[in-house]
Amino acid sequence: MANDFLFQNLQEKEMTFEQVFDRIIRFMTLNRNGNYRLMIGTDSQVHERHTVFITGIVILNEGKGAWACIRKVTIPRRMDRIHERLSHETSLTEEVVSLFTEEKKNVMIDIVLPFIYKGATFTMEGHLDIGSGNRNKTKIFVEEMTARIESMGLEPKIKPNSFVASSYANRFTK
């Protein structure tokens, strides 16, 4: 299944998930005493005859840089219903999260573990392109979608804290 997933960024095209994971590990080993946040989120854009979904993976070392890539999925129809689109965004995020097996998570944790006493951290977040504000038409779905992300062991983030979905992935949906 993981081989069906192809990722890209500005430097590399058609990366497998194993290559993506390798890039994340290389990035983390540059500074084992970092404050790492692995963030995964999806955004979508409805076009005239199709809907584009972009899932972003970002490994951020707070204050010291990041490495990122995207996965693009195109559905050959307009997905105009907001609940359907948000649910699909969340499903695509869940699919990518599921590639980070316990074994892979442990490899990432083991990088920072010797430096925890010096302040090193590692967290995983699921970024959702939804908000709870009164003017936000997605607020009725916040509880449902955040529960799905939490059930996968990730810390859910919504607007304005879900920048991987609402900013990074959004750039590539146009």
Side-chain angles (χ1 to χ4, degrees):
M1 176 177 136
N3 293 333
D4 298 337
F5 288 66
L6 289 178
F7 299 85
Q8 65 185 53
N9 60 21
L10 297 175
Q11 289 78 36
E12 297 179 88
K13 306 281 183 244
E14 296 192 357
M15 286 182 282
T16 64
F17 179 74
E18 289 304 320
Q19 290 171 313
V20 167
F21 185 72
D22 181 59
R23 303 305 183 273
I24 291 169
I25 296 306
R26 275 200 262 163
F27 179 79
M28 290 180 71
T29 55
L30 292 174
N31 179 5
R32 294 172 180 267
N33 189 23
N35 296 111
Y36 290 101
R37 292 167 60 194
L38 179 62
M39 302 167 284
I40 302 158
T42 304
D43 191 24
S44 62
Q45 181 77 40
V46 179
H47 295 271
E48 192 171 324
R49 291 190 174 91
H50 63 281
T51 306
V52 173
F53 292 86
I54 299 290
T55 302
I57 301 175
V58 177
I59 181 73
L60 173 71
N61 185 2
E62 303 258 1
K64 299 212 168 56
W67 182 90
C69 66
I70 61 167
R71 174 181 181 233
K72 181 177 182 176
V73 173
T74 302
I75 303 297
R77 66 178 176 86
R78 292 179 59 91
M79 290 178 82
D80 291 318
R81 290 188 7 254
I82 195 153
H83 184 255
E84 178 189 24
R85 209 165 60 249
L86 286 173
S87 185
H88 199 71
E89 287 177 10
T90 304
S91 293
L92 290 170
T93 296
E94 290 168 331
E95 279 184 358
V96 171
V97 167
S98 72
L99 300 175
F100 289 94
T101 61
E102 287 305 308
E103 180 184 38
K104 285 184 174 17
K105 289 179 200 172
N106 287 334
V107 169
M108 293 183 287
I109 290 166
D110 287 346
I111 291 170
V112 298
L113 197 57
F115 302 93
I116 296 277
Y117 68 96
K118 291 183 176 177
T121 59
F122 175 76
T123 59
M124 285 184 73
E125 301 172 2
H127 287 208
L128 298 162
D129 190 33
I130 57 177
S132 59
N134 287 335
R135 295 175 152 212
N136 199 312
K137 59 185 177 230
T138 60
K139 72 179 185 174
I140 60 172
F141 307 117
V142 168
E143 195 174 310
E144 174 188 351
M145 301 306 160
T146 58
R148 287 174 58 182
I149 294 299
E150 283 176 337
S151 74
M152 298 209 64
L154 275 72
E155 186 179 328
K157 298 287 185 181
I158 63 171
K159 289 178 181 177
N161 301 312
S162 59
F163 63 88
V164 171
S166 56
S167 294
Y168 178 64
N170 177 269
R171 269 191 288 175
F172 299 97
T173 62
K174 309 296 185 238

